[in-house]
Amino acid sequence: MSNNESWGTRVGLILAMAGNAVGLGNFLRFPVQAIQNGGGAFIIPYLVCFLLMGIPLLWIEWSMGRFGGNRGHHSTPFILDALDKRPFWKYIGVFGIFTNLAVAAYYCYIESWTMAYVYHSATGTFDGLSQSQVAAFFGNYVDVFQSTTGIPFEAIIFFVICLALNTFILSRGLHGVERAAKIGMPLLILFGFILAFRGLTLGNSGASAEHPTASAIDGLNFLWTPQFDSLSNPKVWLAAAGQIFFTLSVGMGSIQCYASYLKTKDDIALNAASAGFMNEFVEVVLGSSIVIPIAAGYLGLDWVKENAGFGMAFQTMPYLFEKWGPFLSTIAGVMWFGLLFFAGITSSLAMGTPWMGFMQDEFGWSREKGAISFGTIVLILGLPTVIFFSQGVFDEYDYWAGTVSLVVFALVETILFSWIFGMDKGWKEINMGGDIQVPVFYKFVIKYITPVLLLFVFLGSLLTPIGNNWQEAFSQLFSGNGWTLDNGSIVKQITSAGLREQIATATDPATIEALKDKLLYISGARILLLSVFTGIGILVYIAHKRRLKTGGVA
Amino acid sequence: MNTTALIIMVSTMLLVASINAYFFVKVWRTPPRPEPDSFDENDDEPR
């Protein structure tokens, strides 16, 4: 069965690409990163990294995708193979399918939380709950053996519904994805504007008796006040590069897959820039104007300083919306979690397409079969993250698939594109059919600056110094005291050094037993991820052999 | 809100929003390529 799908409209393609990039991190990760890394000054390294690493990576991935697509490849193993004939590239390309499956496994779980919270907001579950009760609700929800509303195994049920919805949309092909983006993205932006407007105009009208001086403007002030001295700290630059990297969904293989359905003469220079800036708009304008101002407006700045993090979305926001009265709180809850749901589903749909494209190209599967197999794999891979959430399985997936794999793959594909495929050919690919001319200095940036920045991001994760304190680490190194690694560095994570230290220092037998169990679950998660990677590698090998037998190009 | 924070916030938001709008409008206004292109909105027959 030939894979001759196509996008319906150009705007639909851009919305789908922007939807792929816009995720929960735009609203939850960006403002927290800004607060922790220099406030308003963070925007300087952030925008510098966007221009020198983010946009170039988008152009690289769009170009690679279109180049491979015009040779009949719609997933990274054979897209990379088309760029250079050395046989190992197709196995490096396995990252571009593996990452999507593994990230979808836990990402769809988060997506199902947003779906469940839309339901709970609409049905008034949070009415009259105190702040601690709303926070406890989340803890009960993710414990699958507890029921928050009488629905048994509620977290699993919402997870399955969410997967079924993803599978259904994916089975409609690119047009299904495009339609979801055309509905989801405008609604996301509309909901974001309404909530941001409410947040920005809150003033100190919401200040409670416990926090009489609370003001939403304090939150904005806190977020945007620049600490320019932070710019000399490498940690801030690495955080900015990391944020740009993760917000654009680069290094996953999904952008290449979407772009592989373009024809040679179609523009990618303008399309990629437009999709990239749409993501930045959602992140910088909307992402900074909702969670932090609203939280500061009710709970005060001190609370925000202590509690800013991912958990605020689910553990705090429903309580804050309750302050707006029964009607408005329902609307606000539905909008907030609906916004997060749209951000999530437009990304998870993109994660399904590389696997589907691969099976359609290489094994002649129909898109329905591809979609159902994607849903099934994600269900099998995702259930351990749902059932053993508190045992660290979720975090393990996030770390290896959602962090390390992305950086490794982006670094390698950039080197392949600019150094092995060659910058002259690469530059021609980027500008071919372009509706804008990419400034010529980007030829230098893509060849030298982007790979070096990616190398810094990778080394920064591999060798993170203790406490992520780079200034102190360099000072110790130059004093001859060596380099002490943080337990969060890749090197230490491989051996689970942090967990082993906890086991060694624990004295309570029950705690030691629980930590040992956690180690076991984490090892199981790693074996599972490794098996998936190996399995895809074997499929690529089989596909390669089939192509040789049938006289294919690989 | 202090003045520096306000200036940085407003200028950053305006800059990002303007560039986003510029690119999106440019996409919107660029006439479609002659057939065959990648998009089936202007195809004679559905694929």
Side-chain angles (χ1 to χ4, degrees), chain A residues 496-511:
Chain A
S496 301
L499 195 53
R500 287 180 197 281
E501 271 177 26
Q502 285 180 36
I503 293 171
T505 52
T507 49
D508 175 32
T511 310

Side-chain angles (χ1 to χ4, degrees), chain A residues 22-351:
Chain A
V22 171
L24 280 70
N26 290 55
F27 297 92
L28 305 174
R29 196 174 188 273
F30 170 75
V32 176
Q33 287 292 314
I35 281 174
Q36 291 170 348
N37 294 287
F42 180 72
I43 209 72
I44 297 171
Y46 176 83
L47 290 179
V48 168
C49 290
F50 177 65
L51 294 174
L52 297 181
M53 188 180 75
I55 281 278
L57 266 170
L58 289 177
W59 280 323
I60 288 173
E61 295 201 345
W62 278 70
S63 302
M64 286 171 69
R66 187 182 61 177
F67 183 85
N70 283 293
R71 285 153 186 79
H73 313 306
H74 300 89
S75 60
T76 50
F78 289 102
I79 290 176
L80 263 61
D81 187 68
L83 289 166
D84 184 69
K85 282 299 161 195
R86 270 165 281 202
F88 62 85
W89 285 114
K90 62 176 85 62
Y91 299 105
I92 301 281
V94 168
F95 274 106
I97 299 176
F98 161 77
T99 306
N100 286 286
L101 291 176
V103 172
Y106 69 87
Y107 198 85
C108 286
Y109 183 39
I110 306 176
E111 199 178 306
S112 72
W113 297 350
T114 65
M115 190 186 250
Y117 269 62
V118 168
Y119 165 79
H120 287 299
S121 298
T123 54
T125 304
F126 304 115
D127 288 353
L129 295 190
S130 67
Q131 191 183 346
S132 58
Q133 284 172 317
V134 170
F137 177 90
F138 179 75
N140 293 336
Y141 179 84
V142 293
D143 182 349
V144 289
F145 300 107
Q146 284 199 43
S147 171
T148 51
T149 50
I151 305 171
F153 303 109
E154 186 184 348
I156 295 179
I157 287 173
F158 274 107
F159 180 53
V160 171
I161 294 171
C162 185
L163 277 185
L165 184 62
N166 273 277
T167 304
F168 172 74
I169 296 172
L170 283 169
S171 73
R172 313 316 298 160
L174 286 185
H175 283 205
V177 172
E178 191 174 330
R179 195 165 296 164
K182 279 180 166 174
I183 297 169
M185 284 301 289
L187 277 178
L188 179 153
I189 291 171
L190 177 72
F191 289 174
F193 264 119
I194 294 171
L195 290 168
F197 178 77
R198 175 66 181 156
L200 297 178
T201 54
L202 203 57
N204 56 6
S205 61
S208 58
E210 301 93 62
H211 308 281
T213 57
S215 163
I217 300 301
D218 286 347
L220 278 181
N221 196 35
F222 177 50
L223 202 154
W224 287 100
T225 297
Q227 294 142 30
F228 288 112
D229 56 335
S230 70
L231 295 178
S232 61
N233 188 346
K235 168 183 165 263
V236 171
W237 286 83
L238 280 172
Q243 179 59 27
I244 282 299
F245 190 83
F246 295 118
T247 188
L248 292 172
S249 295
V250 286
M252 288 192 76
S254 48
I255 292 175
Q256 290 94 327
C257 179
Y258 273 6
S260 70
Y261 295 96
L262 289 173
K263 290 197 169 56
T264 310
K265 64 174 185 165
D266 285 318
D267 164 87
I268 54 171
L270 175 60
N271 286 347
S274 180
F277 268 98
M278 196 175 289
N279 175 72
E280 291 312 294
F281 170 76
V282 172
E283 179 151 293
V284 174
V285 178
L286 300 179
S288 65
S289 307
I290 300 176
V291 179
I292 301 295
I294 294 176
Y298 286 112
L299 300 170
L301 203 50
D302 291 337
W303 186 93
V304 172
K305 283 177 186 170
E306 279 175 30
N307 297 285
F310 195 81
M312 285 171 71
F314 299 93
Q315 292 167 311
T316 312
M317 294 304 275
Y319 166 73
L320 302 182
F321 292 144
E322 284 304 310
K323 306 269 184 193
W324 296 0
F327 177 71
L328 275 183
S329 69
T330 303
I331 301 285
V334 169
M335 279 188 179
W336 170 241
F337 292 109
L339 170 157
L340 293 181
F341 174 71
F342 288 130
I345 196 164
T346 46
S347 300
S348 63
L349 289 172
M351 294 172 202

Side-chain angles (χ1 to χ4, degrees), chain A residues 427 431 437-445:
Chain A
W427 186 247
N431 285 293
Q437 174 64 43
V438 177
V440 75
F441 72 87
Y442 266 108
K443 196 172 176 182
F444 175 82
V445 169

